[in-house]
Amino acid sequence: MVSTAVTEILLCPVCRRPLSLQNGIWSCEQAHAFDMAKEGYVNLLRKKLPGDTKEMLQARRAFFDKAYYEPLSNTLNELMLAHLAPTQAGPVRILDAGCGEGYYLGQMQQALAPRFEHIQGLGIDISKDAIRMAARRYPTAFFMVANLNEPLPLADQALAGMLNIFAPRNVAEYTRVLAPGAPLIIVIPGAHHLQELRQTLQLLNIEENKQQHVADQFSDSFTFVTTRALSYELALQQPEIEQIVMMTPNYWHLSEEIRARMTALRSISTTVDFKCLVFQRS
């Protein structure tokens, strides 16, 4: 059964009127209708768009299941707990904008549950395969296939907090759907992220001055609160090397030469380097 924390805030992506759920179908007063999938998610894309592939998602799920990025997940949980409003009237809705297969949202909802009477995780991703995987593993959260670059299918000021991890950023919509004072936590790669692996395989470079670029993007509607840097070493064997490459945007740029080097690389020690930027909705 879908929580009222969800049914109260969903909007039709066509006409922007409220959606209601009846007999497994989400519909609005203009008769636009969207079926609820058997896994419990809803596809609100108006046209099919490409997202992460099954190969990318399977690599990411396998890599996350080995807890390599658990320190990042724990850091995000701590930051959200520290910056959420101490008292919340009604449900505490947290959106992961660009949630992928749901790892960070699933961990966060579990971490926040003891502190809030009613915590509701929401996940949006453009990849139907990602949302299907997420809904299957994390049934207490609610997942939607939607495009972050378009108006979000959520009511104004519906959210108590938001995650945005290596995903597109829609400043106007994040401003609209977050309540005043709500935290927005954006994760970007640090300058040394996967440095040794990138050098060895000649992978994509990290964008220079990315933190300042993100801060400038959000300066009109958000107050910058703090940055939490997280960096540590990973000792990877061949299967994990392939997974960490395949789960990133490098996937779209893999030449036969890079694939051959990746397959031949038996082990490597590489740095993971994250910047967690905390903003507060003005």
Side-chain angles (χ1 to χ4, degrees):
M1 182 176 178
V2 178
S3 165
T4 56
V6 175
T7 58
E8 291 172 348
I9 65 166
L10 254 59
L11 298 182
C12 175
V14 180
C15 66
R16 311 299 295 163
R17 288 174 169 81
L19 287 173
S20 60
L21 179 63
Q22 189 171 7
N23 299 323
I25 298 175
W26 290 94
S27 61
C28 68
E29 62 184 26
Q30 295 294 311
H32 303 122
F34 308 88
D35 291 339
M36 177 83 87
K38 63 180 180 180
E39 295 87 352
Y41 70 88
V42 62
N43 187 343
L44 298 175
L45 272 183
R46 288 183 288 175
K47 61 179 180 179
K48 187 175 181 180
L49 293 170
D52 288 348
T53 67
K54 288 183 180 179
E55 189 176 28
M56 295 177 74
L57 294 161
Q58 289 165 354
R60 190 172 301 145
R61 172 64 62 82
F63 191 82
F64 286 158
D65 280 349
K66 295 170 185 175
Y68 287 119
Y69 279 8
E70 187 174 346
L72 175 59
S73 176
N74 292 340
T75 297
L76 294 174
N77 296 342
E78 293 169 10
L79 288 170
M80 189 63 77
L81 278 168
H83 295 285
L84 276 173
T87 57
Q88 295 281 351
V92 178
R93 303 181 186 92
I94 306 294
L95 172 69
D96 187 348
C99 64
E101 50 70 64
Y103 172 73
Y104 296 107
L105 181 64
Q107 301 301 311
M108 179 167 287
Q109 181 162 285
Q110 184 177 16
L112 296 181
R115 295 283 296 274
F116 297 94
E117 183 177 355
H118 189 181
I119 183 78
Q120 178 62 63
L122 303 159
I124 288 177
D125 201 278
I126 202 170
S127 168
K128 182 178 177 180
D129 290 324
I131 291 299
R132 182 184 290 116
M133 288 177 68
R136 284 173 174 167
R137 177 166 287 193
Y138 307 105
T140 58
F142 184 78
F143 294 95
M144 297 158 275
V145 186
N147 186 355
L148 294 179
N149 293 319
E150 293 182 350
L152 300 180
L154 300 171
D156 293 359
Q157 299 185 13
L159 303 177
M162 185 186 296
L163 293 174
N164 183 248
I165 306 167
F166 297 159
R169 297 176 293 275
N170 186 334
V171 179
E173 281 299 286
Y174 296 177
T175 302
R176 181 183 66 80
V177 299
L178 280 165
L184 164 64
I185 304 176
I186 297 176
V187 181
I188 60 174
H192 304 294
H193 187 55
L194 304 181
Q195 179 173 273
E196 299 83 0
L197 188 61
R198 286 190 291 108
Q199 291 173 346
T200 300
L201 298 181
Q202 298 180 2
L203 302 176
L204 297 173
N205 291 322
I206 302 298
E207 177 187 338
E208 293 185 9
N209 301 317
K210 191 174 183 71
Q211 179 172 336
Q212 187 59 51
H213 173 65
V214 174
D216 291 344
Q217 272 188 304
F218 286 87
S219 60
D220 287 344
S221 302
F222 288 81
T223 301
F224 176 69
V225 179
T226 189
T227 300
R228 176 81 65 87
L230 177 65
S231 182
Y232 54 97
E233 297 295 313
L234 290 182
L236 302 177
Q237 303 301 310
Q238 207 292 315
E240 294 81 36
I241 292 169
E242 187 166 332
Q243 288 160 8
I244 202 171
V245 173
M246 299 294 280
M247 66 189 250
T248 70
N250 289 287
Y251 173 87
W252 305 106
H253 303 275
L254 289 178
S255 64
E256 290 302 319
E257 180 182 355
I258 293 175
R259 283 182 180 270
R261 283 201 299 268
M262 178 178 68
T263 302
L265 186 61
R266 309 316 301 171
S267 64
I268 194 172
S269 179
T270 194
T271 305
V272 289
D273 184 17
F274 306 107
K275 300 288 187 184
C276 305
L277 313 180
V278 182
F279 296 87
Q280 187 177 46
R281 169 74 166 85
S282 299

